[in-house]
């Protein structure tokens, strides 16, 4: 029997170093995520568990791993992608923790911060001792962040922030929030808001049916006074947060395949042992057709991810190409997770098996970092030269 990800021997396209790193992350997921994930999902991941996971991910060098300096591992983009794939095979929530920390919060500081800001925050964040979050989305502005209502006004040398951010991963547990706000001069700037700053709070969002093993929060800013050096000096437009999102999206191109692979492995193993009409479910043609089609999409997605990773390492990857990868691989991963659920029948709806948990998680993944519709519009614009966003 061939493993679902090895039908095409994509493995041979990876370097030994990339394979070693991937295997180390897979072991971490086996040891630390799989034994607890059903409970984390059912109960909601506690803030203490987020901190523990961050410290362990930091020890493994996974936080900001594709950045250089300041305690970051400095791996290539493909290695980062493979790490995301293994983490998301555990759970999209765990991958989200690593993505938000490295590709959103740390990347924003690394790319647009002052030397002092980098020295203050990045080494602790790379070690997982400090947690960051990234506040762009607002209650009324998700796909269209240009409409944001959060304001930053100058008051002497200080900045004063007012507004609300919504759906912010790790907001409640973060030591520092990267908050994007529109300033008096119309520019969009990023601000580093340390936890505990008067006027700043981050209540947890409850009653989620997806990404339950991840903390999601609101950020409330009421007259939050920050010193002059809280602003990220190297960016003054939406280009800043959008470039961070592009980094995180790249990880999702690989990550979503991890969730799909985990579902497919569960479905194959279930079909081999479950007997229906006195024969293993795996021996029926309809089941094999489902499995074959899913394995096919998984292979194609993996090749696509790897191609984009090699382009990124060659510094040739465009945002449109990342949109293509995110759109395809998340959409297909979600379809695979749902199809696998059918193979598991009623057992598929429980947390004894990973399939519905992954499917529910992938609903969020389909929406965050640019919805599938927004990525279709990005690709449509690239194809036609016409913007259909508004
Ligand atoms: C679990 C989770 C974690 C998240 N973490 C973060 C985080 O850490 N930081 C952060 O800033 N945000 C985060 N988000 C927010 C996420 O990025 C937004 O939900 C996303 O951008 C979509 O925005 P929205 O939910 O407001 O949907 P909307 O923008 O209101 O979209 C609603 C629907 O309209 C469609 N639509 C929108 N515009 C168009 C158009 N022009 N043409 C056609 N259709 C359109 C969308 O595709 C979607 O189907 C998170 C979300 C979730 C679910």
């Amino acid at each position: 029997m061939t493993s679902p990800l090895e039908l095409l021997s994509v493995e041979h396209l990876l370097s030994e170093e990339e394979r070693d790193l991937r295997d180390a992350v897979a072991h971490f997921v086996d040891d630390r995520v799989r034994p607890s994930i059903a409970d984390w999902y059912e109960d909601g991941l506690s803030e203490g568990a987020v901190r523990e996971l961050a410290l362990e991910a930091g020890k493994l060098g996974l936080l900001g791993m594709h950045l250089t300096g300041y305690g970051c591992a400095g791996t290539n983009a493909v290695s980062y992608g493979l790490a995301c794939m293994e983490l998301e095979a555990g759970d999209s929530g765990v991958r989200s923790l690593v993505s938000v920390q490295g590709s959103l919060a740390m990347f924003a500081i690394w790319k647009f911060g002052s030397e002092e800001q980098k020295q203050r925050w990045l080494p602790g964040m790379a070690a997982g001792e400090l947690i960051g979050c990234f506040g762009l989305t607002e209650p009324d502005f998700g796909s269209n962040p240009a409409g944001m209502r959060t304001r930053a006004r100058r008051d002497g040398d200080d900045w004063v922030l007012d507004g609300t951010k919504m759906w912010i991963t790790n907001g409640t547990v973060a030591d520092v929030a990267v908050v994007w706000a529109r300033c008096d001069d119309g520019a969009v700037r990023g601000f580093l808001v340390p936890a505990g700053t008067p006027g700043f709070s981050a209540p947890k969002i409850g009653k989620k049916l997806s990404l339950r093993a991840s903390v999601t929060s609101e950020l409330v800013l009421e007259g939050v006074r920050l010193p002059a050096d809280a602003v990220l000096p190297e960016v003054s437009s939406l280009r800043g947060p959008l470039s961070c999102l592009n980094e995180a999206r790249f990880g999702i191109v690989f990550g979503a395949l991890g969730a799909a692979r985990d579902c497919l492995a569960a479905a194959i193993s279930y079909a081999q042992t479950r007997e229906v009409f006195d024969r293993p479910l795996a021996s029926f043609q309809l089941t094999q057709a489902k499995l074959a089609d899913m394995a096919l999409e998984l292979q194609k997605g993996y090749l696509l991810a790897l191609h984009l990773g090699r382009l990124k390492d060659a510094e040739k990857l465009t945002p449109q190409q990342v949109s293509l990868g995110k759109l395809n691989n998340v959409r297909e991963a979600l379809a695979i997770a749902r199809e696998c659920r059918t193979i598991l029948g009623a057992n598929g709806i429980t947390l004894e098996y990973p399939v519905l948990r992954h499917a529910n998680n992938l609903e969020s993944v389909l929406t965050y970092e640019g919805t599938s519709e927004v990525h279709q519009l990005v690709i449509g614009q690239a194809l036609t030269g016409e913007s259909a966003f508004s």
Side-chain angles (χ1 to χ4, degrees), residues 96 100 104 133-145 165-171 180 208 210-211 214-217 245 361 363-365 367-375 377 388-390:
S96 296
V100 169
L104 294 180
C133 70
F134 183 89
L136 179 65
T137 304
E138 299 189 355
D140 293 328
F141 298 94
S143 301
N144 178 23
K165 298 289 176 181
M166 195 67 183
W167 306 115
I168 307 307
T169 304
N170 286 341
W180 298 94
K208 287 186 302 174
S210 172
L211 276 195
S214 171
V215 172
T216 315
S217 318
L245 290 173
N361 284 339
E363 294 287 350
S364 285
V365 180
T367 287
Y368 70 25
E369 309 288 349
T371 65
S372 48
E373 293 80 5
V374 163
H375 291 302
L377 296 180
F389 285 90
S390 54

Side-chain angles (χ1 to χ4, degrees), residues 188-263:
V188 170
R189 292 193 172 84
F191 295 86
L192 301 182
V193 184
T197 305
F200 175 62
S201 59
K204 199 163 163 175
I205 297 174
K207 297 188 166 54
K208 287 186 302 174
L209 294 172
S210 172
L211 276 195
R212 292 183 52 77
S214 171
V215 172
T216 315
S217 318
E218 200 180 336
L219 304 183
V220 182
L221 303 120
E222 293 171 327
V224 173
R225 183 171 288 277
L226 298 169
D229 64 4
V231 70
L232 296 173
E234 302 299 333
V235 67
S236 55
S237 74
L238 265 184
R239 186 183 58 81
L242 296 184
S243 65
C244 301
L245 290 173
N246 213 40
E247 290 295 306
R249 266 170 211 154
F250 168 77
I252 293 173
V253 175
F254 279 83
L257 298 177
R261 185 194 71 200
D262 201 51
C263 291

Side-chain angles (χ1 to χ4, degrees), residues 13 30 82 104 109 145 160 178 192 196 237 248-249 360:
L13 302 175
D30 284 344
L82 293 168
L104 294 180
I109 299 171
V160 179
V178 178
L192 301 182
S237 74
R249 266 170 211 154
N360 282 354

Side-chain angles (χ1 to χ4, degrees), residues 114-156:
S114 66
E115 190 52 36
E116 291 71 29
Q117 290 167 337
K118 293 179 196 181
Q119 297 286 358
R120 176 172 177 200
W121 294 108
L122 291 180
M125 292 172 87
E129 289 156 4
L130 297 173
I131 293 178
C133 70
F134 183 89
L136 179 65
T137 304
E138 299 189 355
D140 293 328
F141 298 94
S143 301
N144 178 23
M148 71 172 70
R149 293 206 184 103
T150 300
R151 289 287 177 267
R153 65 180 166 81
R154 259 348 276 243
D155 185 23

